[in-house]
Amino acid sequence: MKRLAVLISGTGSIMEAIHKSGIEIGAVIADRHCSGLALAKACGIWNRYQILRKNFMHPSGGFNRHAFTGEFKKVLDEEEIDIVMMAGFMTVLNERIFSQYANRIINTHPSLLPSFKGDTAVADALEYGVKVTGCTMHYATSVLDEGPIIDQRAVPVLSGDDIQSLHERIKVEERKMVPENLKRLMAA
Ligand code: GRF
């Protein structure tokens, strides 16, 4: 069985769904202080790391993506990780990691890509007025929310939806889609 790392920035509910599906999570890495790390502890995931994005910001406002990515690479190598799942991870990593871990870094995004890329995907779908949106699991690249699609699930937009209600309906699907596909990919 391959060894999985999950990258998070938020509440970690997709990570929890992966754990609950019976997939063993070898390591969790967060790029900021987030409640997902406490959840990882509650799930009994021993190897938890924080590589704080804010420590790689220049006073001038620039972000040292190369050095930040290098720290991730170190952990992934030390933990002998085969597959990386970005589950609500809010930083784009430097392109060199995508050649080092070619086709082994996966992302989940709360829209039907290529529509509504970026971190306001749910709000943008709502604002546009689409009647169907959803989620996409795809191989990640250094370009935000681009890369070969692994799976997609459609989710209806209901009248009266706000960002939170729509995002939660999408996450219900992500919590099924991600573990189902990971099981297959990890066994391959
Ligand atoms: C998911 O909708 C993911 O696609 C997006 O952030 C959300 C993560 O949710 N990028 P959680 O932190 O796993 O609850």
Side-chain angles (χ1 to χ4, degrees), residues 10-15 87-90 108-110 167 171 174-175:
T11 61
S13 70
I14 296 169
M15 171 205 69
F89 184 67
M90 303 297 282
T108 179
H109 179 75
H167 199 175
K171 291 213 286 187
E174 288 185 281
R175 293 180 199 122

Side-chain angles (χ1 to χ4, degrees), residues 90 108-130 132-136 144-145 157 163 166-167 170 174:
M90 303 297 282
T108 179
H109 179 75
S111 78
L112 292 174
L113 290 173
S115 293
F116 306 120
K117 296 175 180 173
D119 62 2
T120 55
V122 179
D124 294 346
L126 207 51
E127 168 74 21
Y128 197 92
V130 295
V132 176
T133 182
C135 49
T136 303
L144 182 68
D145 299 326
V157 181
I163 297 172
L166 179 56
H167 199 175
I170 293 170
E174 288 185 281

Side-chain angles (χ1 to χ4, degrees), residues 31-146:
D31 65 350
R32 64 197 71 193
H33 300 294
C34 62
S35 60
L37 276 177
L39 184 57
K41 188 176 182 188
C43 289
I45 300 164
W46 293 106
N47 304 323
R48 303 181 302 274
Y49 299 86
Q50 240 178 1
I51 300 171
L52 295 177
R53 181 189 161 101
K54 66 173 188 202
N55 291 346
F56 295 82
M57 303 299 292
H58 295 302
S60 58
F63 172 50
N64 191 343
R65 202 176 300 278
H66 182 79
F68 176 80
T69 303
E71 290 302 304
F72 274 77
K73 170 83 171 42
K74 250 190 242 168
V75 173
L76 298 178
D77 288 350
E78 277 166 23
E79 291 281 356
E80 300 183 334
I81 295 301
D82 301 298
I83 296 189
V84 180
M85 183 68 222
M86 304 200 293
F89 184 67
M90 303 297 282
T91 302
V92 176
L93 295 172
N94 189 270
E95 65 185 350
R96 69 178 173 156
I97 203 162
F98 296 101
S99 45
Q100 287 156 344
Y101 282 77
N103 290 326
R104 295 193 288 145
I105 305 181
I106 295 164
N107 184 40
T108 179
H109 179 75
S111 78
L112 292 174
L113 290 173
S115 293
F116 306 120
K117 296 175 180 173
D119 62 2
T120 55
V122 179
D124 294 346
L126 207 51
E127 168 74 21
Y128 197 92
V130 295
K131 300 299 176 200
V132 176
T133 182
C135 49
T136 303
M137 186 169 171
H138 67 98
Y139 290 106
T141 69
S142 60
V143 183
L144 182 68
D145 299 326
E146 280 198 13

Side-chain angles (χ1 to χ4, degrees), residues 143-155:
V143 183
L144 182 68
D145 299 326
E146 280 198 13
I149 290 174
I150 298 168
D151 199 357
Q152 290 186 306
R153 305 282 164 99
V155 172

